[in-house]
Amino acid sequence: MKDWMKQIRDVTYDIEDCVDDFAHRLSHDPGGDVCCAFIVSNVYEVWTWRPRRDIASNIAQLKVRAEQIGERRTRYGVENPKSSDAQSVGAATGFQAADNQQIGLELVGTKTPVGVVKEMEELGKWMMLQPAPHDRAASSPDPTPSPTEAEKQDQGVLAIVGFGGVGKTTIATALYQNFGDQFDCRAKVTVSQSSDIEAIVRVILDQVHPQYKNGNGRKGSRGGGTSEKNRLMASIGNLWDTVVPKGHKEDVQRGGSTSELTQALKKHLEGQSYLILVDDVWSASMWDKIKNSLPTINKGSRIIVTTRFQAVASACKRSKGDRIHKVVVLSDEKPRELFMAESKMGNENHNKVPPRLWEMCGGLPLAIVTMAGHAACNPNREEDEWKKVCSSLVPDSSKALAQEGVTRILSHCYNDMPGEIKTCSLYLCIFPKGRKISRKRLTRRWLAEGFVSEKDGLSVEDVAETYFNHLVKRKIIRAVEHSSNGKVKSYQVHDMVLEYIVSKASEENFVTVVGGHWIMAPPSNKVRRLSLQGGESKHKKAMESMNFSHVRSLTLFGSLAQLPSNSLKFGIVQVLDLEGCKDFKRQHAKEICKMLLLKYLSLRRTEIDKIPKKIEKLQYLETIDIRETNVKELPNNICVLERLVNILGGNKRTRKALKLPEDLKKETMKSLRILSGIEIVQGSAVSVADLHHLTDLRKLAIYKLSIQKGSKLFSDLSSSIEYLGGYSLHTLIIDDQSSEFLTSLNALSSPPKFLNALELSGKLVELPQWITELDALTKLTLSVTVLATDALQRLSKLQKLFSLTFSLTSAKQDPGNTAHSDREIIAPASGFEELKLLRFSAPCVPLLSFPDKAMPKLERLELKFSNLEGMYGIENLEDLKEVHLRVHDEAGDVTKFMVDDMASAARKDDKGPRIIVDQYHE
């Protein structure tokens, strides 16, 4: 049966390849006038004789193969596939998109793992550099550590050991999040079976270095900080040049030798306290290599290691300060507690679920969480149906699943999913283990692969989002970061879940993974989707025997040098994802323009600096992502790409923008839905009036706007925004650097009422009058120049507003603009019914006051400043969980004292919000 299904799958792939080959090799109709049609037709037949002959021969062979498969099936008596026991028990009959639309918006905060409260308290004491800010009940007002605590301040290693799925990484990650802000720098790295030490050191170095180089350094303690640290922060940008030998800087950034990388890492960490999480170490020898790559003595540093093997844990405990923590299965009421917390089912549905559903999991957190997701996706099943599910997994009702039973549960839950969701879940193994992956990156690739179609009146983008939400609900993927609009920004997959998906994808020849964390046998047939996750030379040899002529999706992580023959000559590739790849050359860009069937192209964070004019050949291109590159403008030829849906350019952080092509005509690019990272400046030849015709546009992000009031550009842009606002425009971002365009928006006769995200940065003196009419608005970012008590009063009427940000970048804006702000901002005592995130970013943040009953659902408050005039009434914010304070390293003594006082008060209040203090340098 499996062999027959495999044959069907292979011939289907080959038929699809043949159709695509026909589409791009014989895509031109000879046509012509009637008088010369005969001549043109004959010339066309001669010219295309060879490709037509090849395709006809291929079709004949495919027909023979299909007939042989049918005959073989009859000969061996293969019946139609029947549902297995696991599938037949209430298996999913279809996917209801409406049930998986995200209704509630949320933030991902620091969460304590369920069922391990005591363990977390004990490990938290070991993590503390001084009396615990987190263990507030035990903290002392005396900042001087006791002798016992002083002994703990040497570098220490914590080895968390236990078998797969028992919760090691969950505990380690919680410690990393809870205590990470106490260290000068920190990093996370996943090791697994087949990693090499160079890759591991490179990952650590990439994380700990930019925190200072880019001005995002962390302080060693909350609310503290010394002049010595400030001097270090100010000078750290030059460290890279002093660490790496002259002439070798580029080699080290790309990889370099192990000794060079180790030297760079040691010198960077020397004299600093650091926290490093090394996840899933498989051998003691690998741990020794990692240990030897770090400085020998660093007072106050901590290393957390997770491993499945006791031998590795024993190797980690070499000194008095080291510790081994063995994670055991959950017992007593903890499995039920975890199941209920993860399933989030109503009381009525909870009563239908028999206790056996979590009892049979044997106390394994991963199994319990997976079954909770399974139950959450089947809320209407009756108790008898659930009992059948339990019997199919564990026939003996007196026993529980052993460790290997997790795979059985994963298999059952996988088989229960609708077919289209199974396909999307298999796609997850393209990305490396332990990596945070963007939700939008994943869903856009699903669309390019054709996995998603319109359903239940929803667009393909919205359906893809429901698929993603379903996988989150099933606990196949775990949200690790939310955007300020309350939606998932990035996700991760548990290593055991990913291991199962990799095995299924390999079995079905869905994805071929080379390198990375998995040791897989090379495919015995054609490679359809290729994911290159490591640049080791041993993988190059394995790849030489693979058949790449049928690759439809190519994803690289690391360097382009790992490609066979250092080329991109793959004929029918539809998805090419090179995000973050090194060693990108101009020759690569030329070769990409030969991939005529390409639909998705990501060159984000590569070294590309120019898009070739021959990009016009990519007539099927839907998404081009050139964010955070050196590409400054798009060629005019890109306007002929009628299927283009997403143009993603510029740099959101630095506000580097992308010049639009001059030939933006109304008859082309009608499918465009996202136009992000562009610039509109006076003197450009772009006709902004042509934006009128992009009636499908959902997002318009202008990172640089500099036009003269009264000019044609000025009036055309205002008119275009007003016009598009009446169609499908959902997100509008404008960074007005020097003109008065934002003020003119107040005169719009018809406001963009369908907006759910609005960002206006620049010379904005007062709020647009129509802003309170935006009933669908969930995310709002405004210049701090409009920050005033009456402005907050007006904004409080926005019933769906989830996040509110006031921002002013001192490097760009005139400090005089702050004169429009009040010296004291008083939040309204009513309104802001759904607001969960409030942010202020400015050199000087005025006095903030929060009266009783203000912002009833606010969960996170973020402030970035050089000078803070004060903040009162935080205790009135009933749902507040976290306060993030980012203080400039050259802030005044009064501000630093105020921050210290707030952090100290938070440590004494075990019921108050958690206060996190960071330092930054600009």
Side-chain angles (χ1 to χ4, degrees), residues 494-672:
H494 190 281
D495 56 352
M496 288 193 70
V497 177
L498 188 58
E499 189 173 356
Y500 176 81
I501 292 173
V502 168
S503 66
K504 290 293 294 184
S506 177
E507 177 185 325
E508 298 185 12
N509 194 29
F510 187 81
V511 174
T512 300
V513 179
V514 178
H517 299 287
W518 309 110
I519 299 177
M520 295 177 61
S524 57
N525 45 15
K526 303 164 187 172
V527 175
R528 305 293 178 180
R529 296 177 182 87
L530 179 63
S531 175
L532 298 179
Q533 300 181 3
E536 298 92 337
S537 57
K538 60 182 179 182
H539 297 307
K540 275 191 176 182
K541 185 174 291 186
M543 289 165 57
E544 289 176 359
S545 61
M546 297 182 187
N547 182 356
F548 293 121
S549 61
H550 293 261
V551 171
R552 307 183 70 81
S553 170
L554 177 60
T555 310
L556 268 74
F557 300 91
S559 170
L560 277 163
Q562 63 187 297
L563 274 175
S565 304
N566 196 25
S567 69
L568 290 170
K569 297 177 181 177
F570 297 94
I572 59 172
V573 170
Q574 295 182 352
V575 173
L576 180 62
D577 193 339
L578 306 179
E579 181 174 325
C581 283
K582 303 295 183 182
D583 303 310
F584 190 93
K585 309 295 183 185
R586 289 197 174 184
Q587 181 61 31
H588 292 135
K590 294 178 181 178
E591 292 176 351
I592 288 172
C593 292
K594 298 176 183 178
M595 299 179 177
L596 303 183
L597 300 179
L598 203 60
K599 292 183 179 180
Y600 177 95
L601 173 62
S602 177
L603 302 174
R604 186 177 184 180
R605 292 200 301 273
T606 64
E607 292 99 339
I608 187 171
D609 55 7
K610 186 177 181 181
I611 302 294
K613 294 181 179 180
K614 291 185 178 179
I615 196 169
E616 64 181 355
K617 294 183 178 180
L618 307 183
Q619 292 295 316
Y620 295 91
L621 192 63
E622 296 174 357
T623 296
I624 178 169
D625 188 349
I626 48 175
R627 289 173 289 180
E628 301 169 62
T629 66
N630 293 321
V631 177
K632 297 180 180 178
E633 59 182 330
L634 293 172
N636 290 334
N637 312 61
I638 203 169
C639 295
V640 303
L641 304 180
E642 297 182 359
R643 292 180 172 88
L644 201 57
V645 176
N646 306 309
I647 296 179
L648 307 169
N651 188 315
K652 188 174 183 179
R653 185 179 61 83
T654 63
R655 289 308 198 199
K656 287 185 178 179
L658 191 67
K659 290 182 182 178
L660 282 175
E662 297 177 6
D663 296 336
L664 190 64
K665 301 299 182 183
K666 59 185 178 182
E667 66 271 9
T668 60
M669 303 180 77
K670 288 185 178 181
S671 300
L672 203 63

Side-chain angles (χ1 to χ4, degrees), residues 12 42 55 269 606 825 838:
T12 303
N42 280 278
I55 292 171
L269 295 178
T606 64
I825 307 299
L838 179 62

Side-chain angles (χ1 to χ4, degrees), residues 10 29 51 62 107 241 260 283 290 333 357 468 524 633 645 766 773 789 811 834 885:
D10 287 344
D29 189 343
L62 289 169
L107 295 170
D241 296 321
E260 287 175 328
S283 69
I290 297 172
E333 287 296 309
L357 204 59
F468 183 88
S524 57
E633 59 182 330
V645 176
E766 59 180 358
E773 300 177 32
T789 298
E834 298 297 326
L885 303 177

Side-chain angles (χ1 to χ4, degrees), residues 841-894:
S841 177
C844 179
V845 174
L847 178 64
L848 303 175
S849 297
F850 301 94
D852 188 29
K853 297 182 180 179
M855 302 180 179
K857 292 188 178 180
L858 191 69
E859 294 182 4
R860 185 183 300 173
L861 177 62
E862 298 180 6
L863 288 83
K864 179 181 177 182
F865 53 87
S866 294
N867 181 32
L868 175 65
E869 296 191 6
M871 187 160 50
Y872 299 108
I874 289 183
E875 66 278 3
N876 295 324
L877 302 173
E878 297 179 356
D879 280 9
L880 190 64
K881 295 180 176 64
E882 293 182 349
V883 178
H884 293 248
L885 303 177
R886 297 197 64 207
V887 190
H888 196 281
D889 63 338
E890 296 181 358
D893 293 338
V894 175

